[in-house]
Amino acid sequence: ELAAARELLRQRAVALGLLAKDEDDDETISAGIETLLSHEAATPEPTEDECRRYYDGHPLEFRSNDLVHARHILFQVTPAVNVPQIRAKAEASLNALLREPERFGEMARELSNCPSGAQDGNLGQISRGDTVPEFERVLFHPGNKGLLRDVVKTRFGFHILSIDQVVLGERLPCEIVRERVAERLRHNVEERALRQYVSVLAGSALIEGAQLDAATSPLVQ
């Protein structure tokens, strides 16, 4: 479908004299298509009112990043290890720590396969996007605080995790994120305009081997 849409746009650019018919350089073709879209599928800049409405309607989207301070002990899984045995060791170590949480640093230095073990398992300050998704989901799950009572499984192995501090982000003022809001609106409008423009082209083309939505009228908003 993507190839069919690109070919429709290429043919339209050729028809308007923006590309040579026999042009086969990908970069030149892409530049010609960009010129075509700027002429025939141009989108207006979002207004201040539109930006404000989008900002007000998406209160969770424009926030400073949440932060956590955490420690962990990693029991690494590699192709050569016995996974059930490693998991059992991690769970036994967690049970010991639940009885004596003050030993976390000592056990991290002794058991962790992560370089942070040398710093008592301290991972420092972590924000969203700093770590793998399966670890992040646990780190930022509402209510998770202190030494967690379950071992955390990730692609790296099994973790004993302590979340020592959570600093929730705050909503940023509209004035500060104005350009981000405008860019989001711009992207949404451009994506919709491109789909509709391709639909108009598809409506007057014979397409084989791909299914594209075709508009029967050029009067598309």
Side-chain angles (χ1 to χ4, degrees):
E1 291 176 7
L2 288 172
R6 180 177 171 84
E7 177 59 17
L8 284 173
L9 294 168
R10 187 195 70 81
Q11 290 183 17
R12 178 62 176 168
V14 169
L16 294 180
L18 301 174
L19 278 174
K21 186 175 182 179
D22 58 354
E23 180 61 63
D24 60 1
D25 179 71
D26 280 345
E27 289 189 9
T28 302
I29 293 172
S30 294
I33 289 173
E34 287 296 323
T35 302
L36 168 71
L37 294 176
S38 70
H39 289 160
E40 296 211 325
T43 56
E45 281 294 306
T47 66
E48 288 298 327
D49 286 345
E50 289 168 338
C51 289
R52 171 59 72 172
R53 283 198 300 273
Y54 187 90
Y55 173 82
D56 290 341
H58 299 78
L60 300 180
E61 190 170 340
F62 303 100
R63 295 168 53 90
S64 59
N65 218 338
D66 297 335
L67 300 172
V68 296
H69 294 262
R71 294 172 292 157
H72 83 146
I73 301 172
L74 171 63
F75 297 82
Q76 188 175 22
V77 170
T78 65
V81 305
N82 182 311
V83 175
Q85 190 176 63
I86 290 292
R87 181 169 198 139
K89 183 178 180 181
E91 290 175 343
S93 301
L94 174 58
N95 288 333
L97 274 176
L98 289 171
R99 292 191 297 270
E100 300 177 274
E102 68 278 2
R103 294 185 58 211
F104 196 105
E106 171 195 337
M107 294 182 68
R109 292 192 301 274
E110 177 186 347
L111 300 172
S112 184
N113 298 124
C114 177
S116 65
Q119 285 78 48
D120 297 344
N122 187 6
L123 292 170
Q125 180 176 285
I126 304 172
S127 60
R128 293 183 186 274
D130 286 347
T131 185
V132 294
E134 62 269 30
F135 198 58
E136 183 173 294
R137 280 193 293 270
V138 179
L139 280 174
F140 293 97
H141 189 276
N144 278 356
K145 189 89 179 284
L147 179 61
L148 302 190
R149 303 187 69 83
D150 295 302
V151 168
V152 177
K153 174 71 169 70
T154 74
R155 67 193 69 178
F156 301 111
F158 301 99
H159 307 253
I160 296 173
L161 180 61
S162 178
I163 300 173
D164 300 326
Q165 185 181 10
V166 178
V167 181
L168 296 177
E170 297 180 351
R171 193 179 190 198
L172 298 170
C174 185
E175 296 73 24
I176 292 179
V177 296
R178 178 8 179 122
E179 186 50 40
R180 282 172 54 192
V181 175
E183 182 58 33
R184 180 62 53 83
L185 287 173
R186 209 175 288 125
H187 173 78
N188 292 346
V189 172
E190 287 173 353
E191 184 177 301
R192 187 167 64 249
L194 176 58
R195 285 199 307 269
Q196 293 174 342
Y197 182 65
V198 169
S199 293
V200 170
L201 295 180
S204 58
L206 175 62
I207 301 172
E208 296 180 355
Q211 182 66 44
L212 294 178
D213 292 333
T216 57
S217 168
L219 300 177
V220 183
Q221 296 300 313

